[in-house]
Amino acid sequence: MKKQYLDTLVIGFALFAMFFGAGNLIFPPYLGVVSGEYWLLGFCGFVLADVGLALLAILAAAKCDGDISRVLSRSGKTLSKVLATAIMICLGPLLAIPRTGATTFEMGIAPIFNGFSPVLFSVIFFGLTIILTIKPSKVVDIIGEYLTPALLVALVFLIVMGIVSPLGDLNQPQMIEGIFAEGIAQGYQTMDPLGAIALSAVVIISITQKGYTKESQKVKITLQAGIIAGVALFIVYGGLTYLGSTVAHQFKGINPSDINQTALIVGITEQLLGYPGKIVLAIIVGLACLTTSIGLVSATGQYFTKMSNGKVKYETIVIGVCIFSAVVANFGVSAIIKFASPILTVIYPATIVLVLMTLFNNKIKNDNTFKGATYVALIISVLTVIDNMGVNVAFIEYLPFYKLGFNWIIPTIIGGIIGSLIKQKEKEEIN
């Protein structure tokens, strides 16, 4: 039993570190700045969209043995494949993995080594990722036993310094409307709920190789590890959002869109710790982004290897993903975030719907319920993105919870109800 507790703790630490990457470090301080004295409200939205949904996603994935395809399968064969592939490409070489390299360079390397080549750094960073990822069975242990403790110590040190010697008072006016919705939007950007589905596969492989082969054991350990990771994330996010709120007075009169999120955390650290703060931040960023990069590259490699029925080797995909990510990383963090936002707005709601419904998989007998809810969520999300791009879709803004970023909820429920009224073909019915 003692071994199981220790294994669960190591896996929980590893999961935290795989979650806590580029976005987790840069979004909370920004949220604290724009929320001002209402930073706790923004923080609540952020935690809901990040930790809350990630824990539910972990539970859903654990029930499906870490197989993302099974989580999405009841939405229909075609849609589930498209959605799963879109999620893995976003988590993989298109958005999340390149962002880890770009953030490490902009926040950890450039402030210390002026003139260092970003191309050379990308080669070094993703070369190291390849070395540490090429053996999938070792990924969780490498992260959980060695990298996470160092990451946590550095993070706690920075946050404690900000609490002991705050850089300003918290009684600053908010810079934006819809603080809770902004918290949700920033939580989306971390991609943790999407990552939870994929990273669960990495975790479950490690659990199995540690000797826990029963389905109940794997679900229990995965969920317990997820709770450990969730608590750690909650504490760190709260600290980072608080740090941002203490410097809100420094941005009076500045348009929130003009605030550079990477420069913000660099500035906070330097103000708290002086030049040595740059070294501390470089350690935090390097460890946070490397652990996330390792976890996501491993998850991406496992997914596409399985998708190809083993025709494309895991090692080949890992190398290919790292090479592509190294190229994309050189576009910079701001460009990657801007490009990611509409994509995530489209795929998040449909994924959330399927995660939540998977938790009640045995209670929902009709696949058309899944299909109706998922397709409506997808349609509303696409229309929302179109509306945000300046093409007026009038009714979108009048849907309930629009200002909170949840305008898809009521239509999705209606879509699920309509779907449940459509009789399922006998050959598709679930036993």
Side-chain angles (χ1 to χ4, degrees):
M1 188 62 69
K2 185 177 179 181
K3 178 181 180 297
Q4 182 172 326
Y5 286 140
L6 184 59
D7 287 339
T8 303
L9 188 63
V10 169
I11 292 167
F13 276 173
L15 200 52
F16 161 78
M18 286 189 281
F19 280 147
F20 194 86
N24 310 66
L25 189 58
I26 63 178
F27 296 131
Y30 170 80
L31 184 61
V33 169
V34 299
S35 300
E37 62 182 322
Y38 300 104
W39 69 274
L40 273 174
L41 180 61
F43 169 65
C44 288
F46 187 89
V47 168
L48 174 64
D50 185 276
V51 179
L53 293 177
L55 287 176
L56 292 176
I58 287 171
L59 180 56
K63 291 182 68 173
C64 296
D65 203 30
D67 187 344
I68 187 173
S69 299
R70 284 177 58 189
V71 175
L72 309 177
S73 62
R74 293 185 66 185
S75 64
K77 188 175 180 180
T78 301
L79 180 59
S80 64
K81 283 187 176 180
V82 170
L83 199 54
T85 302
I87 290 171
M88 294 311 303
I89 289 175
C90 286
L91 291 172
L94 189 62
L95 302 176
I97 295 174
R99 194 172 68 186
T100 61
T103 302
T104 305
F105 177 77
E106 291 183 20
M107 296 172 62
I109 302 301
I112 300 173
F113 303 103
N114 188 31
F116 195 94
S117 168
V119 175
L120 176 59
F121 175 76
S122 294
V123 172
I124 295 171
F125 182 87
F126 288 105
L128 188 57
T129 298
I130 290 173
I131 293 169
L132 296 175
T133 311
I134 210 74
K135 294 292 183 184
S137 62
K138 298 294 183 183
V139 168
V140 170
D141 288 340
I142 290 170
I143 295 174
E145 292 181 20
Y146 304 108
L147 300 180
T148 308
L151 170 61
L152 279 171
V153 168
L155 279 168
V156 170
F157 177 70
L158 176 63
I159 291 169
V160 169
M161 288 299 296
I163 293 173
V164 173
S165 304
L167 297 172
D169 65 75
L170 303 180
N171 299 317
Q172 299 299 320
Q174 65 195 72
M175 297 175 66
I176 59 169
E177 297 295 327
I179 290 173
F180 187 78
E182 180 64 21
I184 290 171
Q186 295 294 321
Y188 277 0
Q189 282 279 5
T190 67
M191 295 187 250
D192 281 347
L194 299 183
I197 303 174
L199 292 173
S200 292
V202 179
V203 168
I204 287 172
I205 284 176
S206 177
I207 292 171
T208 304
Q209 292 176 340
K210 289 180 184 296
Y212 306 102
T213 55
K214 293 182 180 178
E215 189 73 23
S216 59
Q217 285 181 314
K218 288 189 279 188
V219 172
K220 182 180 178 181
I221 293 173
T222 303
L223 182 58
Q224 289 175 340
I227 292 172
I228 291 171
V231 170
L233 287 170
F234 182 89
I235 294 170
V236 171
Y237 288 152
L240 291 173
T241 308
Y242 169 83
L243 290 183
S245 69
T246 64
V247 297
H249 64 282
Q250 299 177 12
F251 295 89
K252 284 184 178 179
I254 295 178
N255 190 315
S257 62
D258 293 332
I259 298 174
N260 186 303
Q261 291 164 311
T262 54
L264 173 62
I265 187 65
V266 171
I268 290 173
T269 309
E270 192 169 6
Q271 289 178 65
L272 284 172
L273 304 174
Y275 183 80
K278 291 184 177 182
I279 308 297
V280 173
L281 185 62
I283 293 170
I284 292 173
V285 173
L287 289 170
C289 292
L290 183 61
T291 51
T292 299
S293 179
I294 292 167
L296 291 178
V297 169
S298 181
T300 305
Q302 290 174 34
Y303 174 77
F304 285 107
T305 297
K306 187 172 183 178
M307 186 180 180
S308 68
N309 294 319
K311 293 178 181 177
V312 183
K313 292 183 178 180
Y314 169 84
E315 293 82 1
T316 303
I317 295 172
V318 164
I319 293 170
V321 166
C322 286
I323 292 172
F324 188 86
S325 297
V327 174
V328 177
N330 284 280
F331 287 98
V333 175
S334 296
I336 294 172
I337 290 174
K338 187 175 181 181
F339 180 68
S341 184
I343 298 174
L344 297 177
T345 300
V346 170
I347 65 176
Y348 247 110
T351 306
I352 292 169
V353 167
L354 288 170
V355 164
L356 294 175
M357 295 182 77
T358 297
L359 297 176
F360 303 96
N361 209 29
N362 296 331
K363 303 292 183 182
I364 305 173
K365 303 298 183 181
N366 191 340
D367 281 359
N368 289 325
T369 306
F370 282 77
K371 293 175 183 177
T374 306
Y375 274 104
V376 169
L378 203 57
I379 290 169
I380 296 299
S381 300
V382 170
L383 292 176
T384 299
V385 169
I386 292 172
D387 186 67
N388 290 340
M389 293 172 67
V391 180
N392 187 31
V393 184
F395 77 94
I396 285 293
E397 297 181 13
Y398 294 101
L399 292 173
F401 311 122
Y402 172 80
K403 290 185 177 180
L404 296 177
F406 287 124
N407 61 331
W408 49 271
I409 287 183
I410 299 301
T412 295
I413 292 173
I414 295 172
I417 293 172
I418 293 173
S420 66
L421 298 176
I422 301 173
K423 184 174 172 57
Q424 184 171 276
K425 294 179 182 178
E426 287 187 18
K427 64 179 181 180
E428 295 178 343
E429 285 183 356
I430 297 176
N431 296 324

